[in-house]
Amino acid sequence: MKVMAFNGSPRKKKWNTVTLLKNALKGAASVGAETELIQLYDLKFSGCISCFSCKRIRRKEDGVCAVQDDLTSVLDRVKHTDALIIGTPVYYGTESASTRAFIERLCFPYNKYAKDMTTLFPRHIKTALIYTMNISENMIEAMGYNRHFELTRTTFERHFGACEQLLSTDTLQFSNYDKYESERFDKEAKAKRNAEVFPLDCKRAFELGVRLAN
């Protein structure tokens, strides 16, 4: 069993998104899975360039993006994995730029332009999306985040198979709020939530990894 995780946060060594991803991979490894964590911000790549090579009638192979960059070998390995986890912070209501570019390149080659919207991915695999965000849980629907999260989730479900989400809300942004313009935030409340709630999110991520690997 192979589980690939992708960190779409520029904070690559610690902080919220990568911490949850590492916990998910620990969960997968605990039941025997082989795991890999890929840092998207370490790679040089673009989003889809609308060349439509993946839609040509006489293409050599299905599900291949023609763009050659650091993502090429990664996308090739995705074909042989058994589960995918994508983690991203939420910037202005959506995934980070690198995450969004990755999703475009990952999904579009498998998006067959057929009436039944058949996927070209060769088999069904489990997938998961982990979102970290500064807003509280009760603001997600009011700000419309839930609609975008669900659109991405159903895209993965259509292309690859069952997809679940883990939402980590009201996360800590800074180690020291006094160093940054942050008067709109209650730093004591943020620290308290990080100490009490974020460990529970890490536990949920671990359990998610177990489910994916099983």
Side-chain angles (χ1 to χ4, degrees), residues 40-188:
L40 291 179
Y41 275 85
D42 281 344
L43 306 177
K44 293 182 179 179
F45 65 96
S46 73
C48 175
I49 63 170
S50 272
C51 68
F52 291 104
S53 292
C54 62
K55 302 293 178 281
R56 288 186 178 275
I57 293 175
R58 293 180 179 84
R59 58 184 179 268
K60 294 181 180 179
E61 188 178 0
D62 287 337
V64 175
C65 178
V67 179
Q68 298 293 306
D69 54 23
D70 287 357
L71 208 55
T72 302
S73 63
V74 175
L75 293 175
D76 186 62
R77 296 207 302 280
V78 167
K79 294 180 181 179
H80 308 290
T81 197
D82 300 297
L84 291 175
I85 311 172
I86 296 176
T88 178
V90 176
Y91 295 159
Y92 286 97
T94 188
E95 298 90 3
S96 68
S98 285
T99 307
R100 193 67 212 170
F102 172 68
I103 290 173
E104 291 174 5
R105 293 278 299 283
L106 171 67
C107 292
F108 192 57
Y110 297 118
N111 182 15
K112 187 176 182 180
Y113 276 4
K115 290 182 179 180
D116 61 1
M117 301 180 72
T118 304
T119 179
L120 292 172
F121 196 73
R123 55 207 166 82
H124 283 85
I125 63 173
K126 296 178 181 178
T127 61
L129 299 163
I130 295 176
Y131 289 97
T132 63
M133 65 206 80
N134 184 47
I135 67 169
S136 60
E137 185 174 1
N138 60 11
M139 293 175 66
I140 291 176
E141 185 172 355
M143 297 185 70
Y145 284 21
N146 57 314
R147 293 192 294 272
H148 184 83
F149 295 164
E150 181 62 12
L151 176 62
T152 304
R153 191 197 67 79
T154 56
T155 296
F156 272 78
E157 190 170 72
R158 186 170 71 249
H159 288 318
F160 304 108
C163 179
E164 61 177 301
Q165 291 180 349
L166 190 158
L167 307 182
S168 181
T169 60
D170 201 6
T171 53
L172 196 68
Q173 290 181 291
F174 317 115
S175 58
N176 186 349
Y177 275 72
D178 293 331
K179 291 184 177 180
Y180 301 93
E181 181 184 343
S182 57
E183 63 182 17
R184 63 184 288 191
F185 304 115
D186 184 334
K187 63 182 181 181
E188 284 80 16

